[in-house]
Each structure stands twice: as structure tokens, then as C-alpha cells.
Amino acid sequence: MTGPFVLPVRDIAHRAGEMREHTLEVPAPEKWGEGLVAVAEGEPVVIDVRLESVHEGILVSGEVDTEYTGICSRCLIDIAEGLKVEFQELFAYPGEEETDFEVQDDHVDLETLVREAVVLSLPFQPVCQPDCPGLDPVTGERLAESTGTPKSEPLDPRWAALQDFTTSHDDDAPRPRG
């Protein structure tokens, strides 16, 4: 079997203590993620991986470096952020027990492992900045793009009579004497 995520392990299989390191740069084969953000199809995915032979199989550990794109969950502008994810999984030798990942013939296929690590680390409610104020509930404008003019709050008609009163106290105003 061949593919961009497939690594040969023939030279280290069943040789506990042997190790190999690889760096892969492959395009994402499809869109990864279904929420507000996802890794786009064709986006470069850089994988630094270490394959270690152990008695039970091949221990695969590494780091994925890629970028996700989508929209901010508060203000709905486009965002793009880098993403680094660490992963570790045992690819067991074929045998009696069912395992999620197995050494297949003389190779391991990392695609499912890498995809799951990336998708599970995508933010559920991504924001363009940590303190994104979102959208104005009345106008729908982005609050982060303030024009400098103060936003007037909608006036409740029950409080309209108080509109002309000020909160500042004028100490120089004459006071009625009584």
C-alpha cells in the first residue's frame, strides 16, 4: 500500500528498541473538520514523526503543524490560524486482539491518526482575538470596528422623561433657600 501518509516499518518491525524519525509534508487529502473552522483540502500538513519498535508493535509519536481557516464565532469575519498538535499511538502487530491501529504488512498508515488528532484539536467556538466583542445586537456591525462615535443605547419610552436630566451636579447653580 502506498500513499502520502504511509511509512515503511519493515526494517524496525519485531526489533524492539529500533527507532526511525521522518518528516512529511503532504497536502490535506480532503477538508478536515465540519465546524466553523476546518483544515482546507490541499492545505500543507507537516508531520514530524518518530517510529519506535516495541514488543507489542510500533509506537508512533509526533507533531502535526498546519493551518485552519473559517469564521470567528462572535463577529463572523474570516480567520486563519496555525495549529500544532501532538499525537501518540501504538500500531499493534496483527494478532488475536482487536486494536484501533495495526501494522499492515510492512507499513503504518498515519492518515486516520493525524486527521483525528487535528480535527479533535480544532476550536469549537473560534475567535479572531481573545477579547472579540462580537456584533452589535441592533445594527449588526462589528463592535471591534468602532467608528469613534459613541453608540447610543435604544431608549426605552418609559424612561424618555429622564432623558434631559444629567448625571453631573452643577455646584455653581443657585439653590432655592428655604
Side-chain angles (χ1 to χ4, degrees):
M1 181 176 188
T2 60
F5 292 92
V6 175
L7 294 175
V9 294
R10 180 186 307 259
D11 60 332
I12 63 172
H14 300 286
R15 294 188 179 135
E18 290 287 320
M19 178 190 77
R20 298 289 179 269
E21 293 181 330
H22 300 276
T23 298
L24 308 171
E25 182 171 342
V26 296
E30 59 190 13
K31 177 182 168 189
W32 287 350
E34 295 297 326
L36 294 175
V37 292
V39 174
E41 182 177 346
E43 182 68 36
V45 177
V46 178
I47 307 164
D48 288 317
V49 65
R50 180 174 53 224
L51 307 173
E52 298 176 78
S53 182
V54 294
H55 292 292
E56 300 84 12
I58 304 293
L59 181 64
V60 177
S61 52
E63 183 177 83
V64 179
D65 191 0
T66 190
E67 182 177 270
Y68 64 81
T69 55
I71 59 172
C72 174
S73 64
R74 294 183 188 160
C75 67
L76 306 177
I77 66 166
D78 292 338
I79 57 174
E81 294 285 332
L83 179 70
K84 281 189 186 280
V85 183
E86 292 183 359
F87 61 89
Q88 185 172 50
E89 189 67 50
L90 177 68
F91 281 74
Y93 293 124
E96 306 297 317
E97 294 184 34
E98 284 289 320
T99 60
D100 289 340
F101 298 99
E102 284 189 353
V103 175
Q104 300 164 359
D105 300 326
D106 59 351
H107 64 272
V108 292
D109 187 350
L110 305 180
E111 184 173 354
T112 302
L113 174 62
V114 170
R115 182 182 63 242
E116 287 178 359
V118 167
V119 170
L120 290 174
S121 67
L122 291 173
F124 182 66
Q125 292 187 325
V127 291
C128 58
Q129 58 190 28
D131 58 346
C132 175
L135 300 175
D136 184 298
V138 175
T139 65
E141 294 178 10
R142 287 189 62 228
L143 293 174
E145 293 177 351
S146 175
T147 59
T149 58
K151 302 276 187 211
S152 61
E153 291 293 319
L155 186 60
D156 186 329
R158 296 172 291 181
W159 297 101
L162 299 176
Q163 183 174 347
D164 296 329
F165 286 99
T166 178
T167 56
S168 64
H169 300 288
D170 187 4
D171 293 332
D172 297 331
R175 305 264 183 244
R177 298 184 191 242

